[in-house]
Each structure stands twice: as structure tokens, then as C-alpha cells.
């Protein structure tokens, strides 16, 4: 269990850190204004468009990666154990 926890935590922190860095570059209008969640700039270069795409990928990597290792994999393992126990008890 601790192995899945640290994998999910690593995905959450690495994806979240990358998202924070790129959002700080592109989505912070001013110190007193909207920070990190402002709309993406519209007139940007190709490299900026790539980074904005990476920002979205990093966000979903963090969310889906953590949920996979914290919820999905343990649930599948528990379901498999319950199914095997049920098969053994039926015999």
C-alpha cells in the first residue's frame, strides 16, 4: 500500500509543480490581480502554445495519476481478493 501511495503522491507533486510553474508564467496578470487561474493569453508564439498544452497535460497527469494509484488500483486489488475468496468459499 505504501508503494501505491508514494507513486500517486509523486505524480501529484510533480504534475502540480509543473502546472504551478507554467501557470505562474502565463496566467498571472499582476500581483494584485488574478493569479494562476487567469485566462490563457491569446496572441502567443508556438513555444508558448506548446507550454500551455503541457500545462493542461500536467494538471490531468497529477489528478488522474493520484486517483489511479490511490483509488483505482487498491479497489481492483480488493475486488480481486473478494472474488477469489468467494470462489474458494463456493467450493
Amino acid at each position: 500500500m505504501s508503494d501505491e501511495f508514494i507513486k500517486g503522491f509523486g505524480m501529484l507533486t510533480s504534475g502540480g509543480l509543473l502546472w504551478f510553474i507554467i501557470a505562474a508564467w502565463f496566467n498571472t496578470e499582476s500581483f494584485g490581480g488574478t493569479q494562476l487561474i487567469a485566462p490563457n493569453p491569446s496572441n502567443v508564439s508556438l513555444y508558448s502554445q506548446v507550454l500551455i498544452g503541457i500545462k493542461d497535460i500536467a494538471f490531468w497527469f497529477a489528478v488522474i495519476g493520484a486517483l489511479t494509484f490511490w483509488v483505482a488500483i487498491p479497489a481492483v486489488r480488493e475486488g480481486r481478493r473478494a472474488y477469489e475468496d468467494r470462489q474458494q468459499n463456493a467450493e
Side-chain angles (χ1 to χ4, degrees), residues 15-71:
L17 179 63
L18 185 60
W19 181 86
F20 272 118
I21 290 169
I22 297 172
W25 284 340
F26 291 108
N27 301 103
T28 299
E29 296 172 343
S30 67
F31 182 74
T34 305
Q35 295 183 4
L36 301 176
I37 57 169
N40 290 328
S42 58
N43 190 11
V44 294
S45 67
L46 176 65
Y47 293 119
S48 297
Q49 290 176 355
V50 169
L51 277 176
I52 290 171
I54 290 173
K55 180 186 76 160
D56 294 336
I57 291 169
F59 175 78
W60 289 110
F61 175 77
V63 171
I64 293 173
L67 288 176
T68 298
F69 282 102
W70 291 346
V71 177

